[in-house]
Amino acid sequence: MTTSHDTSTEAVLTAVLRLTPAGDDTRLNLLTDPSAAEVVGRWIADEVRQYEPTVVAVWDDPQAAVLAHIVAREVGCVVVRVIETEGLVRLVDAPLAVGRVALLADRFTAENSLGALLGVVENHGLTTVAVAAVVDSEPLDHAVAEGRYPVIAPSRGRAA
């Protein structure tokens, strides 16, 4: 059964609040409210679609998996997961020969969380076309300042 979801900015920000554990605005739990996760994921997909990604790249964790599934389904692209083991960052899934990548996270928590994703996809010959997160953070601020990629987050409003 397909359900319609309001993806207005106001609805998305309300959904983000529903996904934020009480007293902790630094993280989300996308697993607790599937309807809110759908609203947020569809909003990000709507914003990312204009950059025509063929791949969504995420860290390999449950929150990112939920978000990546929704965004990739809505945009019509594939997901590649990235892991870090003993300081080595690598793709879990085989990358496409050529791809346009949207980097995605519920929240980029540290500068290296975004930088490592950028590095690994570029090392595989993929081109980053957008960076998106549900919750704004300092790494996103730095990405905006660099101006290399469009940065998408509900708190920043609609992408330009």
Side-chain angles (χ1 to χ4, degrees):
M1 178 173 102
T2 303
T3 305
S4 174
H5 294 278
D6 179 3
T7 58
S8 67
T9 301
E10 181 179 329
V12 171
L13 293 173
T14 299
V16 169
L17 289 175
R18 289 184 6 220
L19 296 167
T20 305
D24 184 359
D25 64 355
T26 64
R27 65 185 184 89
L28 296 177
N29 190 344
L30 294 160
L31 303 172
T32 60
D33 190 334
S35 180
E38 279 286 331
V39 168
V40 172
R42 286 182 178 188
W43 185 90
I44 290 174
D46 287 346
E47 295 300 305
V48 166
R49 186 176 288 109
Q50 66 186 306
Y51 304 106
E52 301 176 350
T54 57
V55 178
V56 171
V58 295
W59 287 105
D60 188 24
D61 70 66
Q63 301 300 320
V66 169
L67 193 58
H69 169 79
I70 296 166
V71 172
R73 180 194 67 214
E74 294 298 313
V75 174
C77 62
V78 298
V79 175
V80 295
R81 297 167 297 141
V82 178
I83 63 169
E84 181 271 327
T85 307
E86 297 180 7
L88 298 175
V89 178
R90 66 182 180 87
L91 294 178
V92 174
D93 308 299
L96 303 174
V98 175
R100 297 172 52 82
V101 181
L103 304 180
L104 180 62
D106 57 328
R107 181 176 195 264
F108 290 105
T109 56
E111 197 66 42
N112 64 349
S113 67
L114 177 53
L117 276 179
L118 283 166
V120 76
V121 300
E122 288 173 1
N123 284 338
H124 282 85
L126 304 169
T127 302
T128 301
V129 296
V131 175
V134 177
V135 177
D136 213 350
S137 63
E138 194 171 317
L140 284 184
D141 290 340
H142 291 169
V144 167
E146 287 178 9
R148 291 174 54 196
Y149 315 101
V151 175
I152 298 161
S155 61
R156 293 180 181 273
R158 295 282 178 191

